[in-house]
Amino acid sequence: MISLNIEKTLGFISKENVFAYEAQVKAAQEALENGTGKGNDFLGWLHLPSSITKEHLADLKTTAQTLRDNCEVVVVAGIGGSYLGARAVIEALSNSFTWLQDKKTAPVILYAGHNIGEDYLYELTEYLKDKKFGVINISKSGTTTETALAFRLLKKQCEDQRGKDMAKKVIVAITDAQKGAARVTADNEGYKSFIIPDNVGGRFSVLTPVGLLPIAIAGFDIEKLVAGAVAMEKACGKDVPFAENPAAIYAATRNELYKNGKKIEILVNYNPKLHYVSEWWKQLYGESEGKENKGIFPAAVDFSTDLHSMGQWIQEGERTIYETVISVEKTQHSLQVPSDEANLDGLNFLAGKHVDEVNKMAELGTQLAHVDGGVPNMRIVIPALNEESIGGLLYFFEIACGISGYILGVNPFNQPGVEAYKKNMFALLNKPGYEEESKAIQARL
Ligand code: PA5
């Protein structure tokens, strides 16, 4: 089970002031439960974990098996909320090097549709040329340019390379029940498809097929992942007392820090496999809270790597930051530092110690140094990098985000700001229907 410790924020803010949020947290929880707050048509994620049925998981696993049986590589095409959750979980749980090995137990998972890099797409299509590959086309709207562009390339290549019949078997769509190009294509071509519920926004969709299908294809246990999320749904429920509810405390503490001038939250990990959990978290909090000219800026670092690049800024830069550290209690593997007769590197004092003992001391030493340097620290401890812990962590961040956004007073479930760039891009590309915008934007250049 996940635990949260806020002791190292208390030299900067008081426990009394954090606990003073109890009523606001309660109000936020009621608004979420009763659907009376802003964005209340996007609350499908709230009790999603406990509503996932065995039949649904079985359906996902059957499709995953079809792709596992017929593909060496599966390309997940999606962006933002239709991409980051799957990648976060897959990278957190995967062996860092098996994809480089010849003998594989699961298809290699690659990603596309999350950028418009010509070289990226060229190199991907080149790599796929002699591979038996499949594609998951993930788009709630079904019209996102980045994803549609990548899918157009991949669909054609898959059909050309593997034949129409096999392509039908190994291309899957995850999209809206009725509308959007991805739905129409899936229905016309007869692809297996899964639905993204209307009331679940992209950044809250990791426990829908958007995340679950790629995760199952990669070989991870989606039942355990969901079970971990269900456990957190209980642990963070509205009837859990404030002091015992980690999501309530996290939401209250970050709002209190923000009120005290701490405008940037840095999510810290000491395990490179958590890099994409941080990317997922950045979208979740950034898109949910960054509006109406307010919101904590979500940043992330991978330690100890980034201590050698960002460490200076964090230790001595502008004091507008705080850190939330994700600490993993137990490693999956065991590796001890060997003794060395010459001891030229002077590391014999570590001989016989587990590498993780060194990492944990780096973590503790950094926390104390950063607190001394004026950086409040929160600490989230998860038992291990396994399905249960990661499922729990994802739900913990989602529910805390809903509560935190309501405390801040924004609608945490919309993202009006992301349309601005799209409008300009379409105008610049002379998309039909954007004639007026094209003229206006050309005049500005
Ligand atoms: O959270 C969001 O709404 C966005 O990040 C979307 O997930 C992203 O833009 C992809 O949208 P779609 O799934 O419609 O292709």
Side-chain angles (χ1 to χ4, degrees):
M1 190 60 85
I2 288 165
S3 68
L4 172 73
N5 188 322
I6 63 160
E7 289 300 313
K8 294 281 187 280
T9 64
L10 297 182
F12 305 91
I13 52 173
S14 74
K15 196 167 187 174
E16 202 188 354
N17 284 350
V18 171
F19 275 64
Y21 280 86
E22 185 168 354
Q24 282 186 74
V25 165
K26 192 96 213 138
Q29 288 170 317
E30 298 285 347
L32 289 170
E33 283 297 335
N34 302 329
T36 50
K38 292 178 185 170
N40 55 7
D41 42 351
F42 284 99
L43 295 173
W45 56 272
L46 187 62
H47 293 299
L48 180 66
S50 57
S51 67
I52 295 173
T53 62
K54 279 201 159 48
E55 292 70 32
H56 180 56
L57 292 177
D59 189 15
L60 286 161
K61 285 201 282 187
T62 304
T63 304
Q65 197 55 49
T66 304
L67 272 83
R68 285 169 66 84
D69 290 343
N70 291 287
C71 303
E72 298 164 277
V73 178
V74 172
V75 185
V76 176
I79 192 167
S82 290
Y83 146 74
L84 284 166
R87 190 160 194 178
V89 176
I90 291 168
E91 304 236 343
L93 299 177
S94 293
N95 180 304
S96 310
F97 300 101
T98 39
W99 69 278
L100 287 170
Q101 288 161 4
D102 289 339
K103 208 163 159 256
K104 295 184 185 69
T105 53
V108 172
I109 308 292
L110 297 177
Y111 302 89
H114 59 297
N115 62 45
I116 324 176
E118 183 159 348
D119 288 342
Y120 183 93
L121 287 167
Y122 176 86
E123 287 162 13
L124 174 66
T125 50
E126 278 296 302
Y127 172 78
L128 293 172
K129 264 187 179 152
D130 58 351
K131 306 285 185 307
K132 291 184 196 152
F133 76 95
V135 187
I136 316 178
N137 186 27
I138 311 180
S139 178
K140 189 175 183 202
S141 63
T143 55
T144 300
T145 310
E146 289 88 339
T147 307
L149 203 155
F151 183 66
R152 180 182 275 230
L153 286 163
L154 293 167
K155 175 179 184 288
K156 184 176 183 313
Q157 185 173 353
C158 189
E159 287 170 352
D160 290 350
Q161 236 169 266
R162 306 201 67 186
K164 268 236 163 202
D165 286 345
M166 181 51 88
K168 260 185 204 174
K169 218 172 172 176
V170 295
I171 297 179
V172 178
I174 305 177
T175 187
D176 187 84
Q178 266 129 27
K179 54 181 192 310
R183 165 55 55 202
V184 177
T185 308
D187 290 348
N188 287 351
E189 300 284 354
Y191 298 151
K192 169 74 180 168
S193 68
F194 291 92
I195 293 167
I196 308 175
D198 273 346
N199 60 357
V200 181
R203 59 190 175 275
F204 289 86
S205 70
V206 57
L207 296 172
T208 72
V210 169
L212 295 179
L213 183 65
I215 293 165
I217 294 171
F220 301 110
D221 189 330
I222 53 175
E223 271 159 16
K224 287 186 180 162
L225 187 83
V226 171
V230 171
M232 276 321 273
E233 190 186 324
K234 285 206 187 88
C236 299
K238 85 168 173 50
D239 296 326
V240 178
F242 180 83
E244 292 159 31
N245 186 330
I249 301 282
Y250 178 58
T253 307
R254 60 199 302 284
N255 273 281
E256 179 60 12
L257 286 163
Y258 183 55
K259 214 168 100 185
N260 283 272
K262 304 299 178 189
K263 308 279 188 197
I264 300 163
E265 177 173 2
I266 305 179
L267 192 71
V268 177
N269 70 69
Y270 283 83
N271 192 317
K273 292 186 185 190
L274 287 172
H275 178 82
Y276 275 93
V277 167
S278 298
E279 293 300 307
W280 171 85
W281 171 89
K282 271 160 54 179
Q283 187 201 354
L284 181 65
Y285 280 81
E287 232 173 41
S288 299
E289 294 193 322
K291 49 197 71 161
E292 298 176 30
N293 296 323
K294 48 187 180 179
I296 295 165
F297 183 85
V301 288
D302 302 323
F303 285 168
S304 67
T305 310
D306 293 336
L307 282 170
H308 297 258
S309 57
M310 292 301 291
Q312 171 62 33
W313 199 104
I314 294 170
Q315 189 69 43
E316 295 181 349
E318 194 181 17
R319 301 299 72 187
T320 46
I321 58 172
Y322 66 95
E323 289 175 312
T324 300
V325 177
I326 302 178
S327 183
V328 182
E329 223 165 5
K330 269 202 183 127
T331 58
Q332 301 297 98
H333 306 287
S334 165
L335 185 67
Q336 282 158 293
V337 179
S339 178
D340 184 88
E341 212 177 309
N343 194 27
L344 293 176
D345 53 14
L347 288 185
N348 270 353
F349 73 103
L350 295 177
K353 283 194 193 301
H354 284 271
V355 172
D356 196 51
E357 280 181 73
V358 182
N359 203 24
K360 290 286 191 298
M361 291 310 111
E363 182 183 323
L364 184 58
T366 304
Q367 188 195 46
L368 296 173
H370 288 181
V371 170
D372 288 345
V375 183
N377 259 248
M378 279 193 263
R379 192 158 176 264
I380 296 167
V381 180
I382 64 171
L385 286 187
N386 58 30
E387 286 91 336
E388 286 96 336
S389 293
I390 297 296
L393 185 67
L394 298 177
Y395 186 81
F396 161 78
F397 278 134
E398 287 181 359
I399 182 68
C401 183
I403 297 170
S404 183
Y406 276 170
I407 294 175
L408 187 66
V410 298
N411 175 355
F413 309 115
N414 67 2
Q415 54 284 328
V418 302
E419 296 309 313
Y421 97 89
K422 293 182 194 170
K423 211 177 91 197
N424 286 349
M425 178 176 78
F426 292 145
L428 289 164
L429 288 167
N430 297 313
K431 183 176 176 172
Y434 283 76
E435 291 74 13
E436 285 309 309
E437 288 88 347
S438 292
K439 258 190 246 158
I441 206 160
Q442 288 301 337
R444 285 175 60 191
L445 300 178

